[in-house]
Amino acid sequence: MSDLDSLFAANVKWAEDIRRKEPDFFSNLAKQQAPEYLWIGCSDSRVPANQILNLAPGEIFVHRNVANVVIHTDLNCMTVLNYAVEFLKVKHVMVTGHYGCGGVRAALENHKLGLIDYWLRNIRDVYYANKNVLDRLDDQDERVNRLCELNVIQQVDNISRSNIVQNAWARGQELTIHGWIYDIHDGILHKLTPPIDRIEQIPEQYRLY
């Protein structure tokens, strides 16, 4: 059996196990998705949203990219955010980074990697904006992990300053933005930012009317 055949076999076993425990699971799942959460996380294979939160399929809408970056010109991410907020009516958006992120490390150490350098430039901007703080840390792993945190905080700001989110608040829609970070070493999530759920929490120069 090839490696790919084993994946198909595992899929069949998984589906059969689910049906045995809950016969109507897939028929109910096929009707409608109505998640209350949007997870914007890193593409890292060690950070799967559903498993970390112990949620079943259909309970969380997910967007992942290298180093959980949110850029207003990234139509992929903005389309996901727009769909989640305006059509699925999610109540919570969680930007979730993780310690030891390879993308963040590459940005900090200024490696030349190719096309991804353009993407990581956004994290380098976060580094240079906080250079004085980060350069005071003696240990490189410490610097990487602190930049992982600062990167999440910046992406939370980017989301809360988007017209998608601010239009939702203007409509009176219940929507809260969160910044979290995941520790791969123990599997625990940590809160990084206070919840943001109204425009008054946004600096005035970023408020859209």
Side-chain angles (χ1 to χ4, degrees):
M1 181 182 289
S2 72
D3 288 343
L4 292 181
D5 287 340
S6 68
L7 294 180
F8 280 99
N11 166 250
V12 170
K13 183 180 184 306
W14 170 77
E16 289 174 347
D17 288 346
I18 292 286
R19 278 193 294 268
R20 194 160 40 248
K21 294 174 186 173
E22 195 175 339
D24 296 328
F25 179 84
F26 289 110
S27 57
N28 291 334
L29 190 64
K31 291 174 186 175
Q32 179 71 41
Q33 65 165 336
E36 293 192 0
Y37 314 104
L38 167 61
W39 170 289
I40 297 179
C42 183
S43 298
D44 192 301
S45 60
R46 301 167 295 174
V47 192
N50 285 73
Q51 287 92 326
I52 288 171
L53 298 174
N54 197 26
L55 293 176
E59 293 187 315
I60 187 166
F61 201 56
V62 177
H63 174 77
R64 296 170 71 177
N65 62 52
V66 174
N68 44 270
V69 173
V70 178
I71 309 169
H72 294 141
T73 53
D74 176 11
L75 294 182
N76 187 348
C77 185
M78 289 297 105
T79 299
V80 170
L81 180 63
N82 180 79
Y83 184 74
V85 171
E86 295 198 15
F87 296 94
L88 296 179
K89 305 295 185 187
V90 298
K91 294 180 180 177
H92 301 275
V93 178
M94 302 93 79
V95 180
T96 309
H98 66 96
Y99 290 122
C101 178
V104 171
R105 182 179 292 276
L108 178 64
E109 297 177 351
N110 233 10
H111 295 311
K112 192 174 182 180
L113 300 173
L115 183 62
I116 196 173
D117 294 337
Y118 294 103
W119 186 258
L120 298 179
R121 168 64 188 273
N122 299 284
I123 304 172
R124 290 194 181 107
D125 290 342
V126 177
Y127 165 64
Y128 284 114
N130 297 276
K131 191 173 187 300
N132 291 339
V133 173
L134 290 164
D135 286 355
R136 283 201 295 267
L137 300 173
D138 294 329
D139 182 73
Q140 182 70 344
D141 289 340
E142 247 188 292
R143 280 192 289 271
V144 169
N145 286 338
R146 182 56 182 146
L147 185 53
C148 289
E149 295 175 341
L150 293 169
N151 180 51
V152 168
I153 293 167
Q154 181 62 60
Q155 309 320 316
V156 167
D157 287 345
N158 290 348
I159 288 179
S160 64
R161 295 168 185 177
S162 70
N163 62 355
I164 296 168
V165 167
Q166 294 190 26
N167 287 343
W169 288 333
R171 293 192 298 268
Q173 187 172 332
E174 181 184 346
L175 181 64
T176 305
I177 316 302
H178 309 267
W180 296 350
I181 196 158
Y182 175 69
D183 194 334
I184 291 172
H185 296 92
D186 60 14
I188 302 299
L189 282 167
H190 302 273
K191 297 176 184 177
L192 283 179
T193 64
I196 300 174
D197 60 5
R198 60 191 184 279
I199 198 166
E200 289 77 17
Q201 293 174 270
I202 310 304
E204 192 168 356
Q205 63 269 31
Y206 293 107
R207 297 178 193 175
L208 306 172
Y209 298 99

